[in-house]
């Protein structure tokens, strides 16, 4: 009877481990969209996030939520040149907000990819 219980417990732990590994989204990255310029910032993410806001260098407040265009693409249109480094605040699927400080450098270029280290 003891080995049957042990086998069941071991099998349950294996299934739980597979579920945890399979549900991890990986590290969040931001790719600068090809249409980005000194007054437009398009951020393409590799995982699903929402309610994205940015804070430019020297700003006291976060921008309004960036507009989400196609899935995982968020855009900020500005009348003034965008000043980096740029911090990003976003909502995660499980709830709550996260902030990544200075993830986009001042000299960002379209097509560049920036790693955040945030596991989503």
């Amino acid at each position: 009877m003891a080995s049957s219980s042990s086998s069941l417990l071991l099998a349950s732990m294996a299934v739980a481990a597979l579920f945890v590994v399979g549900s991890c989204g990986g590290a969040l990255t931001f790719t600068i969209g090809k249409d980005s310029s000194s007054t437009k910032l398009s951020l393409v993410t590799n995982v699903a996030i929402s309610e994205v806001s940015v804070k430019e260098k020297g700003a006291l407040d976060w921008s309004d939520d960036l507009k989400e265009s196609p899935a995982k693409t968020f855009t900020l249109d500005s009348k003034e040149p965008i000043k980096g480094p740029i911090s990003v605040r976003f909502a995660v699927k499980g709830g709550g907000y996260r902030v990544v400080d200075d993830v986009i450098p001042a000299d960002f270029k379209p097509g560049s990819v920036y790693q955040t280290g945030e596991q989503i």
Side-chain angles (χ1 to χ4, degrees), residues 2-61:
S3 72
S4 175
S5 295
S6 297
S7 296
L8 182 58
L9 179 60
L10 184 59
S12 297
M13 289 174 54
V15 169
L18 288 173
F19 177 74
V20 169
V21 170
S23 65
C24 294
L28 171 65
T29 62
F30 291 106
T31 301
I32 305 300
K34 301 222 183 281
D35 60 342
S36 294
S37 67
S38 63
T39 59
K40 181 177 183 176
L41 177 64
S42 291
L43 298 176
V44 182
T45 64
N46 63 324
V47 296
I49 59 174
S50 61
E51 299 179 37
V52 176
S53 299
V54 296
K55 188 178 347 178
E56 298 176 58
K57 179 180 180 177
L60 298 176
D61 297 318

Coordinates of all heavy atoms in Angstrom, one line a residue, residues 2-61:
A2 N 2.0 1.2 0.7 CA 2.9 2.4 0.8 C 3.5 2.7 -0.5 O 3.6 3.9 -0.9 CB 3.9 2.2 1.9
S3 N 3.9 1.7 -1.3 CA 4.5 2.0 -2.6 C 3.4 2.6 -3.6 O 3.8 3.4 -4.4 CB 5.2 0.8 -3.1 OG 4.3 -0.2 -3.6
S4 N 2.2 2.2 -3.5 CA 1.1 2.7 -4.3 C 0.9 4.2 -4.0 O 0.8 5.0 -4.9 CB -0.2 1.9 -4.1 OG -1.2 2.5 -4.8
S5 N 0.9 4.5 -2.7 CA 0.7 5.9 -2.3 C 1.9 6.8 -2.8 O 1.8 7.9 -3.2 CB 0.6 6.0 -0.8 OG -0.6 5.4 -0.4
S6 N 3.1 6.2 -2.6 CA 4.3 6.9 -3.1 C 4.3 7.1 -4.6 O 4.7 8.2 -5.0 CB 5.6 6.1 -2.7 OG 5.7 6.0 -1.3
S7 N 3.9 6.1 -5.3 CA 3.8 6.3 -6.8 C 2.8 7.3 -7.2 O 3.1 8.1 -8.1 CB 3.4 4.9 -7.4 OG 4.4 4.0 -7.2
L8 N 1.7 7.4 -6.5 CA 0.7 8.4 -6.8 C 1.2 9.8 -6.5 O 1.0 10.7 -7.3 CB -0.6 8.1 -6.0 CG -1.8 9.0 -6.3 CD1 -2.2 9.0 -7.8 CD2 -3.0 8.6 -5.4
L9 N 1.9 9.9 -5.4 CA 2.4 11.2 -5.0 C 3.5 11.6 -6.0 O 3.5 12.8 -6.4 CB 3.0 11.1 -3.6 CG 3.7 12.4 -3.0 CD1 2.7 13.5 -3.0 CD2 4.3 12.1 -1.7
L10 N 4.3 10.7 -6.4 CA 5.4 11.1 -7.4 C 4.8 11.5 -8.7 O 5.2 12.5 -9.3 CB 6.3 9.9 -7.5 CG 7.5 10.1 -8.5 CD1 8.4 11.2 -7.9 CD2 8.3 8.8 -8.6
A11 N 3.8 10.8 -9.1 CA 3.1 11.1 -10.4 C 2.4 12.5 -10.3 O 2.5 13.3 -11.2 CB 2.1 10.0 -10.8
S12 N 1.8 12.8 -9.2 CA 1.2 14.1 -9.0 C 2.2 15.2 -9.0 O 2.0 16.3 -9.6 CB 0.4 14.1 -7.6 OG -0.6 13.2 -7.6
M13 N 3.3 15.0 -8.4 CA 4.4 16.0 -8.4 C 4.9 16.2 -9.8 O 5.2 17.4 -10.2 CB 5.5 15.6 -7.4 CG 5.1 15.7 -5.9 SD 6.3 15.0 -4.8 CE 7.8 15.9 -5.2
A14 N 5.1 15.2 -10.6 CA 5.6 15.3 -11.9 C 4.6 16.1 -12.8 O 5.0 17.0 -13.5 CB 5.8 13.9 -12.5
V15 N 3.3 15.9 -12.6 CA 2.3 16.6 -13.4 C 2.3 18.1 -13.0 O 2.2 19.0 -13.8 CB 0.9 16.0 -13.2 CG1 -0.2 16.9 -13.8 CG2 0.8 14.6 -13.9
A16 N 2.4 18.3 -11.7 CA 2.5 19.7 -11.2 C 3.7 20.5 -11.7 O 3.6 21.6 -12.1 CB 2.5 19.7 -9.7
A17 N 4.8 19.8 -11.8 CA 6.0 20.4 -12.3 C 5.9 20.7 -13.8 O 6.3 21.8 -14.2 CB 7.2 19.5 -12.1
L18 N 5.3 19.8 -14.5 CA 5.1 20.1 -16.0 C 4.1 21.3 -16.2 O 4.3 22.1 -17.0 CB 4.5 18.9 -16.7 CG 5.4 17.7 -16.9 CD1 4.7 16.5 -17.4 CD2 6.6 18.1 -17.8
F19 N 3.1 21.4 -15.3 CA 2.2 22.5 -15.4 C 2.9 23.9 -15.1 O 2.7 24.8 -15.9 CB 1.0 22.4 -14.4 CG 0.1 23.5 -14.4 CD1 -0.8 23.7 -15.5 CD2 0.1 24.4 -13.4 CE1 -1.7 24.8 -15.5 CE2 -0.8 25.5 -13.4 CZ -1.6 25.7 -14.4
V20 N 3.7 23.9 -14.1 CA 4.4 25.1 -13.8 C 5.4 25.5 -14.9 O 5.4 26.7 -15.3 CB 5.2 24.9 -12.4 CG1 6.2 26.1 -12.2 CG2 4.2 24.8 -11.3
V21 N 6.2 24.6 -15.4 CA 7.1 24.9 -16.5 C 6.4 25.3 -17.7 O 6.7 26.3 -18.4 CB 8.0 23.7 -16.8 CG1 8.8 23.9 -18.0 CG2 8.9 23.4 -15.6
G22 N 5.3 24.7 -18.0 CA 4.5 25.0 -19.2 C 3.8 26.3 -19.2 O 3.5 27.0 -20.2
S23 N 3.5 26.8 -18.0 CA 2.8 28.1 -17.8 C 3.7 29.3 -17.8 O 3.2 30.4 -17.7 CB 1.9 28.0 -16.6 OG 2.7 28.0 -15.4
C24 N 5.0 29.1 -17.7 CA 5.9 30.3 -17.6 C 6.0 30.9 -19.0 O 6.2 30.2 -20.0 CB 7.3 29.8 -17.2 SG 7.4 29.2 -15.5
G25 N 5.9 32.2 -19.0 CA 6.0 33.0 -20.3 C 7.4 33.3 -20.7 O 7.6 33.6 -21.9
G26 N 8.3 33.3 -19.8 CA 9.7 33.6 -20.1 C 10.0 35.1 -19.8 O 9.1 35.8 -19.2
A27 N 11.2 35.5 -20.1 CA 11.6 36.9 -19.8 C 11.0 37.9 -20.8 O 11.0 37.6 -22.0 CB 13.1 37.0 -19.9
L28 N 10.5 39.0 -20.3 CA 9.8 40.0 -21.1 C 10.9 40.8 -21.9 O 11.9 41.2 -21.3 CB 9.0 40.9 -20.2 CG 8.5 42.2 -20.9 CD1 7.4 41.9 -21.9 CD2 7.9 43.1 -19.8
T29 N 10.7 40.9 -23.2 CA 11.5 41.8 -24.0 C 10.7 42.8 -24.7 O 9.5 42.6 -25.0 CB 12.3 41.0 -25.1 OG1 11.4 40.4 -26.0 CG2 13.2 39.9 -24.5
F30 N 11.3 44.0 -25.0 CA 10.7 45.0 -25.8 C 11.5 45.2 -27.1 O 12.7 45.4 -27.0 CB 10.6 46.3 -25.1 CG 9.7 46.4 -23.9 CD1 10.2 46.3 -22.6 CD2 8.4 46.4 -24.0 CE1 9.4 46.3 -21.5 CE2 7.5 46.4 -22.9 CZ 8.0 46.4 -21.7
T31 N 10.8 45.1 -28.2 CA 11.4 45.4 -29.5 C 10.9 46.7 -30.0 O 9.6 47.0 -29.9 CB 11.0 44.3 -30.6 OG1 11.5 43.0 -30.1 CG2 11.7 44.6 -31.9
I32 N 11.7 47.6 -30.4 CA 11.3 48.9 -30.9 C 10.8 48.7 -32.3 O 11.5 48.2 -33.2 CB 12.5 49.9 -30.9 CG1 13.2 50.0 -29.5 CG2 12.1 51.3 -31.4 CD1 12.3 50.5 -28.4
G33 N 9.5 49.1 -32.5 CA 8.9 49.0 -33.8 C 9.5 49.7 -34.9 O 10.2 50.8 -34.7
K34 N 9.4 49.2 -36.1 CA 10.1 49.8 -37.3 C 9.6 51.2 -37.6 O 10.3 52.0 -38.2 CB 9.9 48.9 -38.5 CG 10.5 47.5 -38.2 CD 11.3 47.0 -39.4 CE 11.8 45.6 -39.1 NZ 13.0 45.6 -38.3
D35 N 8.3 51.5 -37.1 CA 7.8 52.9 -37.4 C 8.1 53.9 -36.3 O 7.6 55.0 -36.3 CB 6.3 52.8 -37.5 CG 5.6 52.2 -36.3 OD1 6.2 51.6 -35.4 OD2 4.3 52.4 -36.2
S36 N 9.0 53.5 -35.4 CA 9.4 54.4 -34.3 C 10.3 55.6 -34.8 O 11.0 55.4 -35.8 CB 10.1 53.7 -33.2 OG 9.2 52.8 -32.5
S37 N 10.2 56.7 -34.2 CA 11.0 57.9 -34.5 C 11.2 58.7 -33.3 O 11.0 58.2 -32.2 CB 10.2 58.7 -35.6 OG 9.1 59.3 -35.0
S38 N 11.7 59.9 -33.4 CA 12.0 60.7 -32.3 C 10.7 61.1 -31.5 O 10.8 61.5 -30.4 CB 12.8 62.0 -32.7 OG 12.1 62.8 -33.5
T39 N 9.6 61.1 -32.2 CA 8.3 61.5 -31.6 C 7.3 60.4 -31.5 O 6.2 60.6 -31.1 CB 7.7 62.7 -32.4 OG1 7.5 62.3 -33.7 CG2 8.5 63.9 -32.3
K40 N 7.7 59.2 -32.0 CA 6.8 58.0 -31.9 C 7.6 56.8 -31.4 O 8.6 56.5 -31.9 CB 6.2 57.7 -33.3 CG 5.2 56.6 -33.3 CD 4.6 56.3 -34.7 CE 3.6 55.2 -34.7 NZ 3.0 55.1 -36.0
L41 N 7.0 56.2 -30.4 CA 7.6 55.0 -29.8 C 6.6 53.8 -29.9 O 5.5 53.9 -29.4 CB 8.0 55.2 -28.4 CG 8.6 54.0 -27.6 CD1 9.9 53.6 -28.3 CD2 8.8 54.3 -26.2
S42 N 7.0 52.8 -30.7 CA 6.2 51.5 -30.8 C 7.0 50.5 -30.0 O 8.2 50.2 -30.4 CB 6.0 51.1 -32.2 OG 5.1 52.0 -32.8
L43 N 6.3 49.8 -29.1 CA 7.0 48.7 -28.3 C 6.2 47.5 -28.6 O 5.0 47.4 -28.5 CB 6.9 49.0 -26.8 CG 7.6 50.2 -26.3 CD1 7.3 50.4 -24.8 CD2 9.0 50.2 -26.5
V44 N 7.0 46.5 -29.1 CA 6.4 45.2 -29.4 C 6.9 44.2 -28.3 O 8.1 44.1 -28.1 CB 6.8 44.7 -30.8 CG1 6.2 43.3 -31.1 CG2 6.5 45.7 -31.9
T45 N 6.0 43.5 -27.6 CA 6.4 42.6 -26.5 C 6.4 41.2 -27.0 O 5.7 40.9 -28.0 CB 5.5 42.8 -25.3 OG1 4.2 42.4 -25.6 CG2 5.5 44.2 -24.8
N46 N 7.1 40.3 -26.3 CA 7.1 38.9 -26.7 C 6.1 38.1 -25.9 O 5.9 36.9 -26.1 CB 8.5 38.3 -26.5 CG 9.0 38.4 -25.1 OD1 8.7 39.3 -24.3 ND2 9.7 37.4 -24.7
V47 N 5.5 38.7 -24.8 CA 4.5 38.1 -24.0 C 3.3 39.0 -23.8 O 3.5 40.2 -24.0 CB 5.1 37.6 -22.6 CG1 6.1 36.6 -22.8 CG2 5.6 38.8 -21.8
A48 N 2.2 38.5 -23.5 CA 1.0 39.3 -23.3 C 1.0 40.1 -22.0 O 1.2 39.6 -20.9 CB -0.2 38.4 -23.3
I49 N 1.0 41.4 -22.1 CA 0.9 42.4 -21.0 C -0.2 43.4 -21.4 O -0.7 43.4 -22.5 CB 2.2 43.1 -20.7 CG1 2.7 43.8 -21.9 CG2 3.2 42.0 -20.2 CD1 3.9 44.7 -21.6
S50 N -0.6 44.2 -20.5 CA -1.6 45.2 -20.8 C -1.3 46.5 -20.0 O -0.5 46.6 -19.2 CB -3.0 44.7 -20.5 OG -3.1 44.4 -19.2
E51 N -2.1 47.5 -20.3 CA -2.1 48.8 -19.6 C -0.6 49.3 -19.5 O -0.1 49.6 -18.4 CB -2.7 48.7 -18.2 CG -4.1 48.3 -18.3 CD -4.8 48.2 -16.9 OE1 -4.4 49.0 -16.0 OE2 -5.6 47.2 -16.7
V52 N 0.0 49.5 -20.7 CA 1.4 49.9 -20.7 C 1.5 51.5 -20.7 O 0.8 52.1 -21.4 CB 2.1 49.4 -22.0 CG1 3.5 49.9 -22.1 CG2 2.0 47.9 -22.0
S53 N 2.3 52.0 -19.8 CA 2.6 53.4 -19.7 C 4.1 53.5 -19.6 O 4.8 52.6 -19.3 CB 2.1 54.0 -18.3 OG 0.7 53.8 -18.3
V54 N 4.6 54.7 -20.1 CA 6.0 55.0 -20.0 C 6.3 56.3 -19.3 O 5.4 57.1 -19.2 CB 6.6 55.0 -21.4 CG1 6.5 53.7 -22.1 CG2 6.0 56.1 -22.3
K55 N 7.5 56.4 -18.8 CA 8.0 57.6 -18.1 C 9.3 57.9 -18.8 O 10.3 57.2 -18.7 CB 8.1 57.4 -16.6 CG 8.4 58.8 -16.0 CD 8.5 58.8 -14.4 CE 8.1 57.7 -13.6 NZ 8.4 57.9 -12.2
E56 N 9.4 59.1 -19.4 CA 10.6 59.6 -20.0 C 11.5 60.1 -18.9 O 11.2 60.5 -17.8 CB 10.3 60.7 -21.0 CG 9.4 60.3 -22.1 CD 9.0 61.4 -23.0 OE1 9.9 62.0 -23.6 OE2 7.8 61.7 -23.2
K57 N 12.8 60.3 -19.3 CA 13.8 60.8 -18.4 C 13.4 62.2 -17.9 O 12.9 63.0 -18.7 CB 15.1 61.0 -19.2 CG 16.2 61.6 -18.3 CD 17.5 61.7 -19.0 CE 18.6 62.3 -18.1 NZ 19.8 62.4 -18.7
G58 N 13.4 62.4 -16.6 CA 13.1 63.7 -16.0 C 11.6 63.9 -15.8 O 11.2 64.9 -15.2
A59 N 10.7 63.0 -16.3 CA 9.3 63.2 -16.2 C 8.9 62.9 -14.7 O 9.4 62.0 -14.1 CB 8.5 62.4 -17.2
L60 N 7.9 63.6 -14.2 CA 7.3 63.3 -12.9 C 6.2 62.2 -13.0 O 6.0 61.5 -12.0 CB 6.9 64.5 -12.2 CG 7.9 65.6 -12.0 CD1 7.3 66.9 -11.4 CD2 9.0 65.1 -11.0
D61 N 5.5 62.3 -14.1 CA 4.3 61.4 -14.2 C 4.5 60.4 -15.3 O 5.2 60.6 -16.3 CB 3.1 62.3 -14.5 CG 2.7 63.2 -13.4 OD1 2.8 62.8 -12.2 OD2 2.4 64.4 -13.7

